[in-house]
């Protein structure tokens, strides 16, 4: 991120955290000191956790997420829709982003009920002031449904396949409007993300 920033590429990068890492009491301090050492704005880092890891952190009274959130690091609930957490817990989580799992995106262009569920999740997340990312977008029809549902960020093979850092630099330069901040994922199994907005 620091190297990219020095070259004029401002990218928000997401990394995955595990439930095991959340139990390390110095995790927030190490992450924040690394950001400070490299002169990076904390808001450019997104820490992604699965529903299960988030639920465990609540039960354990974990303060790591609260520390990161208070410092400006974005906390994201990853793979939403694959776990069994109660929706009532969403308001208790220090998360500013909800990533809808690809399993909830599949079929939204042909299945009325799948689309209704997806639209409800997006509305609920927005009501809780969360940004919504849809994973696994592979077709133009899916993209259109998500744009119409006011999904904030789309991610998937429709936009790009996973790539290394060098290829990603060229990809961003070709597509990013000057001065824009693109959300990217550092996960090995995720495609690069593109911010999208519904037409006015």
């Amino acid at each position: 991120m620091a190297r990219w920033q020095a070259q004029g590429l401002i990218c928000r990068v997401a990394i995955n955290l595990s439930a095991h890492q959340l139990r390390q009491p110095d995790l927030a301090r190490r992450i924040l000191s690394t950001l400070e050492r490299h002169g990076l704005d904390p808001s450019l880092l997104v820490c992604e956790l699965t529903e299960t890891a988030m639920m465990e952190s609540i039960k354990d009274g974990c303060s790591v997420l609260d520390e990161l959130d208070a410092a400006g690091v974005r906390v994201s609930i990853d793979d939403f829709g694959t776990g069994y957490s109660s929706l009532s817990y969403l308001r208790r989580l220090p998360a500013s982003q909800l990533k809808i799992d690809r399993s909830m995106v599949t079929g939204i262009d042909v299945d009325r009920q799948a689309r209704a569920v997806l639209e409800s999740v997006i509305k609920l997340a927005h009501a809780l002031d969360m940004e919504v990312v849809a994973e696994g977008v592979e077709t133009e029809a899916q993209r259109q449904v998500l744009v119409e549902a006011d999904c904030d960020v789309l991610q998937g093979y429709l936009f790009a396949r996973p790539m290394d850092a060098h290829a990603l630099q060229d990809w961003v330069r070709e597509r990013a409007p000057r001065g824009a901040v693109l959300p990217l994922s550092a996960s090995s199994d995720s495609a690069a993300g593109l911010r999208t907005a519904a037409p006015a």
Side-chain angles (χ1 to χ4, degrees):
M1 287 171 68
R3 286 196 297 270
W4 284 340
Q5 184 169 276
Q7 297 169 25
L9 295 177
I10 309 300
C11 300
R12 184 177 300 130
V13 175
I15 60 172
N16 299 107
L17 294 180
S18 68
H20 172 72
Q21 287 172 308
L22 286 180
R23 288 191 283 271
Q24 299 171 4
D26 65 337
L27 178 65
R29 179 185 58 76
R30 287 189 288 121
I31 289 174
L32 295 175
S33 65
T34 301
L35 289 169
E36 183 178 6
R37 185 167 68 251
H38 291 286
L40 294 168
D41 187 326
S43 68
L44 292 177
L45 181 65
V46 181
C47 290
E48 297 182 357
L49 298 99
T50 63
E51 282 182 80
T52 303
M54 283 275 194
M55 297 300 291
E56 286 184 23
S57 73
I58 288 179
K59 293 173 184 175
D60 293 341
C62 180
S63 62
V64 171
L65 297 180
D66 291 318
E67 288 181 57
L68 292 172
D69 179 62
V73 173
R74 291 180 172 224
V75 176
S76 177
I77 303 172
D78 195 14
D79 298 333
F80 185 80
T82 60
Y84 300 95
S85 62
S86 167
L87 291 177
S88 64
Y89 273 100
L90 284 179
R91 64 186 175 86
R92 295 175 51 189
L93 299 172
S96 58
Q97 186 184 84
L98 186 73
K99 293 190 75 174
I100 298 173
D101 186 72
R102 67 177 63 245
S103 63
M104 292 185 69
V105 172
T106 301
I108 58 171
D109 53 322
V110 294
D111 186 327
R112 182 179 59 82
Q113 291 181 327
R115 180 170 181 163
V117 169
L118 179 99
E119 290 173 345
S120 297
V121 170
I122 291 173
K123 287 178 182 176
L124 174 61
H126 284 166
L128 295 172
D129 296 321
M130 289 184 179
E131 178 183 63
V132 181
V133 179
E135 298 179 298
V137 182
E138 298 185 357
T139 68
E140 178 59 31
Q142 291 172 339
R143 186 198 72 82
Q144 186 60 39
V145 170
L146 288 159
V147 167
E148 291 173 0
D150 290 328
C151 189
D152 303 298
V153 178
L154 309 186
Q155 176 179 303
Y157 288 169
L158 180 64
F159 308 107
R161 296 272 173 169
M163 63 189 81
D164 62 28
H166 180 72
L168 186 61
Q169 281 181 249
D170 295 335
W171 186 89
V172 171
R173 283 200 177 99
E174 290 171 7
R175 289 163 179 81
R178 193 166 190 83
V181 177
L182 284 182
L184 305 174
S185 175
S187 165
S188 61
D189 61 352
S190 298
L194 254 186
R195 183 168 296 278
T196 185

